Amino acid sequence: MDKRSIRITIKEKLQTLSKEERLSQESMLYSQLFEMPEWKKAEVAACTISVGNELNTYPIFIRAWKEGKKIAAPVVKGSKKELDFYIVNKMEDCREAGFGLIEPDPSKCEYVSPEHIDLVITPGLAFDKEGFRIGYGGGFFDRFLQGLPVSTVSLVFQEQLMENIPRESFDVPVNRLLIGKRAEE
Ligand SMILES: Nc1nc2c(c(=O)[nH]1)N(C=O)[C@@H](CNc1ccc(C(=O)N[C@@H](CCC(=O)O)C(=O)O)cc1)CN2
Ligand SMILES: Nc1ncnc2c1ncn2[C@@H]1O[C@H](COP(=O)(O)OP(=O)(O)OP(=O)(O)O)[C@@H](O)[C@H]1O
């Protein structure tokens, strides 16, 4: 399957997840994340602010604040398709951005350079077991992670896992995949 068809297939699968199923997988995934040594050690974590059918990342921000970690979210730098990360201290310091996204307001948040980030919680639509991923097609994270020696982890609903993701030279796999388990039906 090509990347475009995979995006469509997974988007459809995510829509069929019931609210209960979603919450059940999410709570397992948060527990796994918060137990990771990379999370425990991280002074600065980076995470997208979820929208729509994405895994809810708000509890990750709340946990980071509670544990005294800094947590940064990306701002899309339009023309060059790059991401800049800003420390978020409260959600009120964020604003609506293009494409239905929510991003830190750079006038209210502190910029953090990539080398100061200890753990990147990487979003995506589809993943394979080796950590190769497909996002929404902007190439933002591939570009951001290129040559950056940072730990990466993705939280993945079981429905997002695929046997084989087509690999291209610029794809950067994530170090660690946390995979939700479907509740028995
Ligand atoms: N919640 C969340 N925030 C995120 C991401 C994400 O996956 N989830 N991103 C993860 O990377 C970045 C934004 N991703 C984006 C991906 C595509 C387009 C975009 O321009 N889409 C066009 C098509 C572009 C093209 O085909 O070149 C469109 O939808 O019309 C914008 C932002 C940063 N913030
Ligand atoms: N390191 C890079 N340098 C320049 N262009 C890149 C790089 N990585 C990816 N791209 C470009 O980005 C485009 C989108 O890549 P791809 O389809 O893999 O996106 P994606 O993995 O879905 O997006 P994302 O990384 O934002 O989640 C590709 O056409 C590719 O040319």
Side-chain angles (χ1 to χ4, degrees):
M1 243 199 281
D2 62 27
K3 287 193 171 181
R4 203 180 136 263
S5 325
I6 294 177
R7 286 193 185 95
I8 295 169
T9 308
I10 300 295
K11 278 186 192 169
E12 282 173 3
K13 270 200 181 174
L14 284 176
Q15 280 190 341
T16 66
L17 262 181
S18 70
K19 180 118 202 229
E20 294 72 31
E21 185 58 45
R22 188 172 261 282
L23 290 172
S24 141
Q25 291 198 37
E26 282 173 343
S27 75
M28 283 187 269
L29 289 166
Y30 303 141
S31 314
Q32 291 181 59
L33 172 68
F34 302 147
E35 282 307 312
M36 280 176 67
E38 289 84 351
W39 169 267
K40 291 185 175 170
K41 278 188 300 200
E43 291 173 18
V44 183
C47 185
T48 49
I49 302 170
S50 58
V51 295
N53 272 335
E54 293 180 319
L55 177 128
N56 179 14
T57 61
Y58 286 75
I60 300 174
F61 283 82
I62 290 169
R63 179 72 169 227
W65 293 328
K66 226 186 210 160
E67 293 186 1
K69 293 184 193 305
K70 290 187 175 177
I71 185 152
V75 171
V76 173
K77 263 204 296 191
S79 55
K80 285 156 101 190
K81 294 217 163 183
E82 281 175 1
L83 298 176
D84 274 345
F85 283 83
Y86 288 83
I87 307 285
V88 177
N89 293 310
K90 50 184 188 316
M91 282 303 165
E92 295 82 71
D93 294 343
C94 296
R95 62 180 188 193
E96 284 180 33
F99 305 106
L101 298 173
I102 300 168
E103 63 182 24
D105 181 342
S107 71
K108 297 181 180 154
C109 303
E110 184 197 344
Y111 172 78
V112 61
S113 60
E115 60 274 19
H116 288 121
I117 299 173
D118 302 308
L119 177 66
V120 177
I121 299 163
T122 309
L125 262 175
F127 298 81
D128 69 20
K129 285 220 163 92
E130 274 79 57
F132 281 87
R133 50 176 282 286
I134 298 182
Y136 292 100
F140 290 97
F141 274 85
D142 289 326
R143 222 169 278 118
F144 178 73
L145 294 173
Q146 173 98 65
L148 192 68
V150 68
S151 295
T152 50
V153 60
S154 293
L155 280 62
V156 177
F157 292 114
Q158 200 170 72
E159 287 72 11
Q160 291 175 283
L161 201 61
M162 303 237 354
E163 263 319 303
N164 270 304
I165 299 276
R167 295 174 188 184
E168 294 178 86
S169 57
F170 49 78
D171 286 324
V172 180
V174 294
N175 303 140
R176 208 35 221 288
L177 272 196
L178 305 178
I179 301 164
K181 248 184 94 180
R182 252 194 111 70
E184 297 300 327
E185 277 155 4

